[in-house]
Amino acid sequence: MNTTTLAYMGDAVYELQIRELLIGRNKGDVGKVHKRAIAYVSSDGQSKALKTMMKDFLTEEERKLVKRARNKRATSRPRNADPRRYKLATGFEALIGALYLVGDKDRLEKVIHEAVRIIEED
């Protein structure tokens, strides 16, 4: 499947998972949830998590998918996003989308949990 499509799906899946996590931690305060979610769903947070996971967490197949998505020519990106971080974040989102679409819920949960752990270390 096209990596842009995988990233599009992965963006939605990851954002939903982060919102559920943060709502569970901050019941009733949507403003706080939104502000906290930015650290997880921004290209900075996603690229940081992916860089760390590329070392020894991802499988070889997952690394290949991420590299393929990362290397795809971007047609657009937010003005304030660093191009390298944005490409890494796109690779991360493509991985999330691929895991979701093939129905590998266990691995999807592990990848998201690891990303959250890495982002929260900062």
Side-chain angles (χ1 to χ4, degrees):
M1 185 176 283
N2 180 318
T3 56
T4 303
T5 303
L6 295 174
Y8 179 71
M9 179 58 81
D11 178 53
V13 170
Y14 183 65
E15 176 128 10
L16 178 61
Q17 293 294 316
I18 293 302
R19 286 182 183 196
E20 286 180 357
L21 171 77
L22 296 177
I23 287 171
R25 292 180 181 173
N26 301 287
K27 293 185 181 358
D29 194 340
V30 175
K32 281 184 183 178
V33 168
H34 177 70
K35 285 180 182 177
R36 297 215 46 220
I38 292 168
Y40 299 91
V41 301
S42 69
S43 60
D44 289 341
Q46 291 177 358
S47 65
K48 178 182 186 243
L50 183 63
K51 279 183 196 176
T52 302
M53 289 191 289
M54 289 285 281
K55 293 175 187 169
D56 61 1
F57 183 80
L58 298 182
T59 67
E60 187 59 34
E61 185 178 322
E62 290 168 343
R63 280 189 200 98
K64 286 178 184 176
L65 171 66
V66 165
K67 287 178 182 179
R68 199 172 87 229
R70 179 193 69 191
N71 292 334
K72 184 162 178 113
R73 185 168 184 256
T75 55
S76 67
R77 70 171 169 81
R79 277 184 282 231
N80 62 344
D82 175 272
R84 287 169 290 177
R85 289 184 186 148
Y86 187 75
K87 285 183 169 243
L88 284 169
T90 300
F92 175 77
E93 290 172 346
L95 173 61
I96 298 295
L99 292 171
Y100 176 79
L101 290 172
V102 299
D104 193 345
K105 291 181 182 182
D106 289 338
R107 184 62 179 164
L108 176 63
E109 188 176 298
K110 287 177 185 172
V111 169
I112 291 174
H113 178 76
E114 183 68 4
V116 167
R117 185 191 67 72
I118 292 164
I119 292 166
E120 289 178 348
E121 274 183 352
D122 201 18

